[in-house]
Amino acid sequence: MTDPTTTVASSGAATSAPLLRVTGLHKSFNGVPALRGVDLDVRPGEVHGLLGANGSGKSTLIKVLAGFHDADSGTVSIHGRDLSSPFGPRGLREEGMGFVHQDLGLAPAGTVLEHMALDNVGHASGFRRVDWTAERTRVRELLDRFEVEVDVDATIDMLTPVQRAMVAVVRAVGGQERIAGGERRGQILVLDEPTVFLPRHEVGMLFALLDRLRAAGDAVLLVSHDLDEILQVTDRITVFRNGETAGTRHTQGSTRDDLVQLILGARDEHVAKGAAVVHDDRPPLLSARGLTGNRIVDLDLDLHAGEVVGITGLAGSGFEELPELLYGVRAPRAGTVVQEGQPVTDLRPAASMARGVILIPADRKGQGGVLGLTVMENMSLPFLTRRARGFRVDWKAIEAQAQEACDRLNVVPPRPEAQFGHLSGGNQQKALLGKWLDTAPRVMLLSEPTQGVDIGARREIFKLIRAAVAEGMSVLCATSDYEQLVEMADRVIVLDEGRIRTEIHGDDITKDALASAVYAEEAS
């Protein structure tokens, strides 16, 4: 049942009618409810956060509003006008609603001007000539209004990550603008995890743009798993749980614990990682000496059995590149890799897997799994040769193994025949971890392992990794998520321009200590 909290007075929306109101929205897939009558209202001049565990219904709601799914029942009202699903291929865009998804939907080779023009006139049917002079003027005025400084003729691949995100936001708002009675109507912008791929030091620039949208009387629905981010930038927060509205809260006065309780239905229980039992009396499971890549420069590193080593730094510092260098996805320019005292002469992914070194990449949808295959088919890939006799594969044995893994890892839904792409981000990641943990690896290389994963799934993933480490595995975790490192890492190496700046151990690993180490050079 929805909490009756009203919006904060500071947003200027307490006395305003909602721009967007969702009432009693239901949606099921093959008889399984995804939305069980959710309620939500977003008012002009506010940034409204939407939180919830993976599978809570957030993505389903967005896809209904975007016209990707049709609701089974319920009402959606924009500017006080009730609208009926289905909303068609453009969803509610004609009503002044814009969408910016994680991947931003931008073509690298296209210019800023071309993207803006496409969204403004490209949806019209039939042949239509674009007045590029007028469009250039419109786009420049739009960018100037929101104080976004980019060259309209620059291609997307020439922009920084935050500039791309800001262009996507302005494009979404500018393409839906409508004038009613001589006045600009407030727009509704839906942002789905917009900061996942942004360097942390650039996130503030995007938030400043949200402030300008708020000041213009627009409404922003911000979907995120980052509780600190939600508490920093929003006016109100709604939480979905199990397809229902768990409650709505004022951001002012709310705490992280309050939100976690709404998300999980219980108070947060911190997972103690325990003292590491590092086997440094034996040769390291994996070492690098003088390793050099595109960003990494002359790096020495030892990974011992029984420890989680975190690698972090600013974007471009090299921490993102290191797992791929150690795994063989990228060929090092110089240096050597040694495994348990033996030099590695064949540094390729297939050879690494054969030696018990595995990589779980940050892009789980593009590189970690195959979205169009079932959970069972994704989980079977490392075991096909073991389960094959000639040209026949023992699918019954593979299905039993996949079912056991789904049950053990609490994958939802626990059905091996479910399509992998239909799972939430957290459940996809648990399935991928389970797949590789079943191979009993010696070394696991992780790149942003909980990116876009809710707090409940994060806890389960941490437990899985710590349990494997306790059995003697070594883990390298490359991430910009400081909270993840505090909870999981035994030591953290901070990189600066490809070189080790400092190393932090044990109880000294805190968010403040990590931030200070990462930004020390920049601040000075």
Side-chain angles (χ1 to χ4, degrees):
M1 187 171 70
T2 306
D3 184 273
T5 308
T6 58
T7 191
V8 292
S10 61
S11 72
T15 59
S16 303
L19 288 184
L20 169 69
R21 171 167 281 164
V22 175
T23 307
L25 207 65
H26 287 80
K27 177 63 183 177
S28 295
F29 298 95
N30 298 321
V32 180
L35 297 176
R36 306 168 185 262
V38 295
D39 300 327
L40 173 73
D41 70 80
V42 184
R43 306 192 179 202
E46 79 165 343
V47 178
H48 193 115
L50 180 59
L51 293 171
N54 290 118
S56 64
K58 305 186 306 298
S59 295
T60 302
L61 171 65
I62 293 171
K63 289 178 179 178
V64 168
L65 297 176
F68 188 80
H69 294 319
D70 298 337
D72 298 330
S73 62
T75 61
V76 174
S77 173
I78 294 183
H79 291 287
R81 189 164 74 92
D82 290 344
L83 303 164
S84 300
S85 179
F87 301 128
R90 283 184 58 81
L92 295 169
R93 291 168 179 81
E94 300 303 326
E95 302 298 327
M97 177 171 282
F99 299 82
V100 177
H101 302 286
Q102 271 187 27
D103 61 5
L104 303 182
L106 302 176
T111 67
V112 173
L113 177 61
E114 289 167 343
H115 280 85
M116 295 288 194
L118 180 64
D119 216 51
N120 188 42
V121 301
H123 61 276
S125 60
F127 178 80
R128 184 175 181 181
R129 188 181 298 276
V130 177
D131 184 343
W132 287 107
T133 300
E135 192 63 21
R136 183 182 298 272
T137 300
R138 184 190 73 86
V139 171
R140 281 177 172 162
E141 289 177 350
L142 192 61
L143 292 170
D144 288 344
R145 186 200 310 166
F146 291 105
E147 301 176 35
V148 177
E149 297 181 5
V150 296
D151 181 356
V152 297
D153 294 312
T155 57
I156 297 301
D157 58 5
M158 294 171 60
L159 305 181
T160 66
V162 72
Q163 285 177 326
R164 294 171 197 165
M166 293 169 77
V167 165
V169 168
V170 174
R171 174 194 181 196
V173 173
Q176 322 308 324
E177 285 197 314
R178 298 292 182 271
I179 304 297
E183 295 184 0
R184 176 184 180 273
R185 293 200 314 177
Q187 307 300 293
I188 306 152
L189 179 66
V190 179
L191 295 179
D192 187 7
E193 298 278 359
T195 64
V196 164
F197 301 117
L198 290 187
R200 284 187 173 268
H201 67 290
E202 293 186 341
V203 169
M205 296 173 64
L206 180 61
F207 288 170
L209 176 56
L210 298 190
D211 283 338
R212 293 192 282 274
L213 292 171
R214 179 194 276 133
D218 295 324
V220 178
L221 180 63
L222 176 62
V223 184
S224 178
H225 287 303
D226 191 322
L227 302 188
D228 293 333
E229 180 177 285
I230 287 289
L231 287 168
Q232 176 185 348
V233 75
T234 63
D235 300 299
R236 288 191 302 153
I237 304 163
T238 293
V239 175
F240 283 2
R241 186 171 67 243
N242 298 326
E244 299 178 324
T245 305
T248 299
R249 295 285 185 270
H250 296 284
T251 303
Q252 186 176 8
S254 294
T255 67
R256 185 185 179 85
D257 285 345
D258 294 334
L259 298 181
V260 170
Q261 186 173 23
L262 273 179
I263 293 169
L264 302 180
R267 285 287 173 185
D268 188 20
E269 295 182 7
H270 180 75
V271 179
K273 60 188 173 187
V277 181
V278 181
H279 302 289
D280 53 8
D281 56 333
R282 311 172 192 170
L285 293 184
L286 196 68
S287 297
R289 291 292 179 269
L291 192 66
T292 300
N294 292 331
R295 297 281 187 178
I296 296 293
V297 180
D298 196 26
L299 185 78
D300 293 343
L301 174 72
D302 290 325
L303 301 178
H304 293 277
E307 70 172 346
V308 177
V309 178
I311 302 288
T312 193
L314 291 174
S317 64
F319 79 89
E320 313 98 319
E321 180 187 32
L322 184 57
E324 295 184 348
L325 287 174
L326 293 173
Y327 191 60
V329 174
R330 302 188 187 194
R333 295 182 175 182
T336 59
V337 175
V338 178
Q339 186 169 356
E340 299 188 59
Q342 299 298 315
V344 175
T345 56
D346 187 5
L347 192 57
R348 298 177 300 115
S352 294
M353 282 190 288
R355 296 192 305 271
V357 179
I358 62 101
L359 168 70
I360 299 182
D363 183 6
R364 59 176 168 267
K365 294 183 178 181
Q367 300 175 342
V370 183
L371 301 184
L373 297 182
T374 65
V375 174
M376 177 181 71
E377 289 166 338
N378 271 278
M379 297 181 78
S380 71
L381 294 178
F383 309 105
L384 282 177
T385 54
R386 302 183 197 177
R387 300 292 188 183
R389 293 182 179 179
F391 292 102
R392 299 186 64 183
V393 177
D394 189 348
W395 286 108
K396 286 188 176 180
I398 289 176
E399 182 178 11
Q401 181 175 349
Q403 184 66 67
E404 188 277 332
C406 285
D407 293 339
R408 170 167 46 87
L409 303 173
N410 193 28
V411 175
V412 180
R415 302 202 317 267
E417 71 277 10
Q419 189 169 325
F420 183 77
H422 290 169
L423 268 60
S424 66
N427 286 297
Q428 288 178 355
Q429 194 72 327
K430 285 190 287 185
L432 292 177
L433 276 169
K435 171 179 75 174
W436 291 114
L437 286 173
D438 281 350
T439 68
R442 299 289 287 152
V443 179
M444 178 178 285
L445 307 173
L446 303 175
S447 182
E448 301 289 2
T450 61
Q451 185 168 263
V453 173
D454 72 84
I455 191 167
R458 285 168 65 105
R459 295 288 184 264
E460 294 182 65
I461 289 170
F462 293 161
K463 287 180 181 178
L464 289 172
I465 293 172
R466 293 304 309 185
V469 168
E471 295 294 321
M473 186 175 72
S474 178
V475 172
L476 176 81
C477 179
T479 180
S480 59
D481 186 336
Y482 302 154
E483 182 176 335
Q484 181 179 133
L485 295 173
V486 170
E487 297 204 23
M488 194 165 63
D490 300 302
R491 59 187 173 103
V492 177
I493 296 170
V494 179
L495 299 184
D496 175 34
E497 296 185 353
R499 301 178 185 274
I500 295 177
R501 170 183 287 175
T502 189
E503 188 170 314
I504 307 173
H505 295 258
D507 293 339
D508 292 332
I509 303 172
T510 65
K511 291 176 71 172
D512 286 345
L514 291 170
S516 296
V518 167
Y519 291 102
E521 182 77 12
E522 187 178 76
S524 62

